[in-house]
């Protein structure tokens, strides 16, 4: 009945058919694409609006390859500690040093300061429940997307979508990624030198493979963006351009990411097995 099993070439084809395909489990992290960071917003990022069509195109082309798409949202109290308006004699884009005790509380008068955090002072921006804090109206969003708010503690800033700037508390982002077994994150959005940079650094620290699509980001300032790019590269964050997305997605989601030697070993094993079976 199984005489066809005596044909080694046929057996070879049957045994070697199911080449195992190892694919990465991807999430797209869209950082702070909110009105506040667009050129007409309260903390304008030059050309911030130009990231929107690029991000929309990434979604249009590869949506089904993402296990999860996350939108982070800068979400501040109206008297947030990062606002220059809360610091006498300070102007937007000045810096100050904030002191926190061992439990992460801000030292407002006397207290046992354990952590000193340099804070850039920003114009009042992204105040929760205002139109300014809303996502850009023309960014593609779906019902299945996850929204992660950050910066809602009034006394500490939060650039990263994972942790606040003192790493005293974390958002639900890591849990959401783990629930979907995500191992690789692709990061886009605003601003390259602050929230994209801090999110990429934390993602790397947490063990994810990290890709930042540079032309799908814009920076607050040139000097800080050069430093951020340099530091991200040094930490093993991959900086790519959207023109490389077809190759990158192919590499991350197909057998293209199996080393060639693995294919060879697999086919040799299949050949040996098929020869053996043919002798029964
Ligand atoms: C951001 C400055 C202040 C950002 C947020 O999204 O990059 N930058 N708050
Ligand atoms: Zn902010």
């Amino acid at each position: 009945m199984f005489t066809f099993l005596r044909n080694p070439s046929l057996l070879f084809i049957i045994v070697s058919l199911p080449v195992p395909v190892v694919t990465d489990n991807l999430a797209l992290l869209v950082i702070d694409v909110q009105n506040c960071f667009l050129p007409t917003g309260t903390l304008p990022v030059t050309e911030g609006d130009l990231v929107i069509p690029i991000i929309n195109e990434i979604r249009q082309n590869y949506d089904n390859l993402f296990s999860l798409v996350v939108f982070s949202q800068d979400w501040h109290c109206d008297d947030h500690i990062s606002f220059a308006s809360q610091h006498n004699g300070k102007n937007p884009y000045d810096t100050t040093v904030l002191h926190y005790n061992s439990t992460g509380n801000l030292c407002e008068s006397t207290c046992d300061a354990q952590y000193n955090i340099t804070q850039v002072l920003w114009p009042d921006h992204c105040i929760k429940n205002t139109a300014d804090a809303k996502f850009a109206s023309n960014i593609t969003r779906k019902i299945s997307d996850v929204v992660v708010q950050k910066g809602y503690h009034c006394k500490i800033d939060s650039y990263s979508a994972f942790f606040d700037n003192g790493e005293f508390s974390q958002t639900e982002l890591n849990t959401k990624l783990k629930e979907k077994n995500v191992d690789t994150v692709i990061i886009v959005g605003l601003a390259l030198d602050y929230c994209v940079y801090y999110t990429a650094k934390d993602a790397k620290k947490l063990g994810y493979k990290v890709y930042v699509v540079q032309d799908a980001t814009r920076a607050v300032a040139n000097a800080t963006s050069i430093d951020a790019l340099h530091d991200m590269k040094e930490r093993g964050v991959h900086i790519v351009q959207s023109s490389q997305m077809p190759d990158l997605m192919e590499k991350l989601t197909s057998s293209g990411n199996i080393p060639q030697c693995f294919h060879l070993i697999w086919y040799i094993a299949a050949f040996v097995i098929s020869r053996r079976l043919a002798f029964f």
Side-chain angles (χ1 to χ4, degrees):
M1 163 160 85
F2 294 113
T3 47
F4 72 91
L5 283 176
R6 295 189 182 280
N7 180 342
S9 344
L10 194 62
L11 265 170
F12 173 66
I13 292 167
I14 294 168
V15 175
S16 61
L17 270 182
V19 179
V21 173
V22 183
T23 70
D24 289 33
N25 215 346
L26 305 179
L28 179 68
L29 307 186
V30 184
I31 302 301
D32 299 6
V33 180
Q34 297 167 253
N35 294 332
C36 29
F37 299 117
L38 301 186
T40 50
T42 47
L43 202 174
V45 176
T46 309
E47 297 186 347
D49 53 332
L50 297 190
V51 304
I52 296 170
I54 301 175
I55 299 170
N56 287 347
E57 199 184 326
I58 291 174
R59 287 209 73 172
Q60 196 178 333
N61 292 341
Y62 308 109
D63 219 24
N64 58 340
L65 299 180
F66 296 118
S67 304
L68 196 65
V69 177
V70 180
F71 282 75
S72 72
Q73 189 172 32
D74 212 32
W75 196 246
H76 292 314
C77 312
D78 60 6
D79 58 352
H80 194 258
I81 193 72
S82 75
F83 296 171
S85 60
Q86 302 303 306
H87 301 264
N88 277 333
K90 293 284 190 181
N91 293 311
Y93 306 99
D94 289 349
T95 57
T96 192
V97 178
L98 301 174
H99 307 282
Y100 295 86
N101 71 11
S102 58
T103 56
N105 287 320
L106 179 70
C107 298
E108 304 210 57
S109 47
T110 52
C111 102
D112 184 16
Q114 295 280 325
Y115 304 97
N116 303 319
I117 299 177
T118 301
Q119 175 71 54
V120 178
L121 297 171
W122 302 107
D124 292 16
H125 67 280
C126 307
I127 295 174
K128 58 188 175 190
N129 301 313
T130 64
D132 191 54
K134 288 202 163 123
F135 293 115
S137 59
N138 51 346
I139 187 96
T140 306
R141 291 204 298 132
K142 305 211 166 144
I143 203 89
S144 52
D145 297 343
V146 165
V147 172
V148 169
Q149 294 176 328
K150 64 183 185 61
Y152 46 78
H153 293 299
C154 305
K155 301 292 183 191
I156 181 118
D157 208 357
S158 183
Y159 294 146
S160 160
F162 290 97
F163 299 101
D164 65 57
N165 290 0
E167 298 192 10
F168 302 126
S169 65
Q170 63 173 304
T171 68
E172 64 279 27
L173 178 54
N174 194 35
T175 313
K176 298 274 181 200
L177 296 175
K178 290 275 173 280
E179 274 169 13
K180 296 276 184 185
N181 293 316
V182 168
D183 52 23
T184 304
V185 294
I186 297 181
I187 306 180
V188 295
L190 303 169
L192 173 63
D193 40 354
Y194 290 94
C195 294
V196 167
Y197 170 43
Y198 279 73
T199 302
K201 268 202 297 189
D202 282 345
K204 191 73 199 167
K205 276 193 223 162
L206 289 166
Y208 296 96
K209 285 183 243 171
V210 186
Y211 294 83
V212 170
V213 186
Q214 190 182 347
D215 57 329
T217 71
R218 286 296 185 280
V220 169
N222 204 31
T224 39
S225 114
I226 290 167
D227 292 348
L229 285 168
H230 182 259
D231 190 43
M232 283 192 282
K233 285 178 195 160
E234 213 155 63
R235 290 166 186 264
V237 170
H238 304 278
I239 309 295
V240 297
Q241 307 302 320
S242 61
S243 58
Q244 295 169 267
M245 284 300 283
D247 284 349
L248 176 64
M249 295 306 274
E250 164 74 18
K251 185 180 103 172
L252 295 179
T253 62
S254 77
S255 55
N257 67 351
I258 303 173
Q260 287 306 309
C261 65
F262 185 84
H263 279 283
L264 189 63
I265 292 165
W266 180 259
Y267 283 113
I268 292 170
F271 180 72
V272 170
I273 292 166
S274 57
R275 299 292 300 201
R276 291 261 160 114
L277 281 175
F279 282 116
F280 287 120

